[in-house]
Amino acid sequence: MNSPIYQLALGEDFARLTPELQKYFSLAAGSGFYGIGEGVFDVVGCRQKWLRPLLALTGGEEAFFPEYGEGIPFRIENHAHVDPFGRPALTARREIYFPSGTRLFHDTTSAILPGHGDRNARLVDHVGRYRRLVTDLDVSVTSQGRLRGVSQASRLFLGPLRIPLPAALDARAYAEQWWDNDEGKHRIQVKVIQPQIGLVLVYAGRFDYRLAPYLPGMAPGNSLPRYAEPDRWEMRI
């Protein structure tokens, strides 16, 4: 069986995650299972009204969206697989149920296996329906056993062009996930901040999580189910 990508990236620190998070992030390609999370976002979306029309222009990318709401139900599916280029990967497919309609937000995080002199794998995240936005993802474990992730340099792939985003334009995502003993639920908080305009996107909430077996033929071998595939894969990082 393949190794989970977060274990490849964290190395020995993976054991410092709380047991519930270790279980959550242990999904690996070829296991025959996928993860299902269902819960409620306390807050989700873009708080800045003036920015929402701009985000509406990118709605078709299924990465950013203009809506904002509180107490919004959502569902996430995690699929561990090997991407078309042979990289261990985890695709997350989120459905967010706003009153005005359902928004889909999905991405594929792939592990770039360590080269000479490197101890752990490097994670890169391809975002959206066409996987045109790519960012490096640094992950670490807090003293409380939470997983913390921070996006770093981002690139846009437009046809043959690879366009690194300068620091002044790039938006960074700050994510933290943990287990809430009092509620018996997973908790997550993500903020996307752009240095010139501030908070672009936020989502924070709680959810229950379980593993479910793939139906026969649903995800043969180490592949991704067809309904969870993006419209376009991107080999470049």
Side-chain angles (χ1 to χ4, degrees):
M1 185 184 299
N2 299 286
S3 297
I5 64 167
Y6 284 89
Q7 189 171 4
L8 292 172
L10 290 170
E12 295 179 355
D13 283 346
F14 187 82
R16 295 178 48 229
L17 292 169
T18 60
E20 295 83 5
L21 285 188
Q22 288 185 45
K23 182 177 180 180
Y24 181 93
F25 289 107
S26 287
L27 195 61
S31 68
F33 290 85
Y34 65 107
I36 301 172
E38 294 175 306
V40 175
F41 283 131
D42 300 320
V43 294
V44 58
C46 178
R47 285 176 170 166
Q48 302 194 62
K49 293 182 179 180
W50 67 269
L51 186 57
R52 294 174 191 170
L54 296 177
L55 292 179
L57 299 177
T58 67
E61 293 288 331
E62 296 179 350
F64 297 100
F65 44 87
E67 291 88 353
Y68 174 78
E70 299 178 0
I72 303 298
F74 72 95
R75 173 188 169 94
I76 181 173
E77 289 186 7
N78 288 332
H79 298 274
H81 59 102
V82 176
D83 74 15
F85 318 107
R87 301 178 294 221
L90 184 73
T91 289
R93 185 178 187 274
R94 306 165 189 85
E95 294 178 347
I96 306 170
Y97 305 116
F98 289 103
S100 58
T102 299
R103 280 290 181 182
L104 185 63
F105 172 35
H106 52 112
D107 65 320
T108 296
T109 304
S110 301
I112 310 302
L113 299 181
H116 181 69
D118 296 326
R119 293 182 58 189
N120 301 329
R122 168 191 171 201
L123 296 183
V124 294
D125 195 31
H126 290 73
V127 180
R129 178 178 178 182
Y130 303 103
R131 302 304 197 254
R132 281 195 271 247
L133 176 65
V134 184
T135 186
D136 297 321
L137 182 62
D138 286 348
V139 291
S140 59
V141 182
T142 72
S143 58
Q144 297 85 22
R146 302 179 176 188
L147 183 81
R148 179 172 292 161
V150 180
S151 68
Q152 298 295 336
S154 299
R155 288 81 66 194
L156 280 175
F157 291 104
L158 301 177
L161 299 179
R162 181 185 189 275
I163 307 173
L165 295 181
L169 298 178
D170 199 1
R172 288 196 175 186
Y174 301 86
E176 193 161 291
Q177 185 168 330
W178 67 99
W179 174 256
D180 190 315
N181 275 318
D182 294 334
E183 292 191 341
K185 293 180 182 291
H186 287 274
R187 297 290 301 268
I188 188 167
Q189 176 177 284
V190 177
K191 294 181 179 180
V192 179
I193 299 174
Q194 204 278 339
Q196 307 301 320
I197 60 179
L199 187 64
V200 175
L201 185 71
V202 60
Y203 58 92
R206 65 210 72 201
F207 61 96
D208 297 306
Y209 190 73
R210 69 186 189 276
L211 296 179
Y214 286 115
L215 298 175
M218 184 178 175
N222 294 326
S223 64
L224 186 65
R226 289 293 300 273
Y227 73 88
E229 289 183 356
D231 282 18
R232 172 181 171 274
W233 290 102
E234 176 58 67
M235 179 179 68
R236 294 169 293 176
I237 60 173

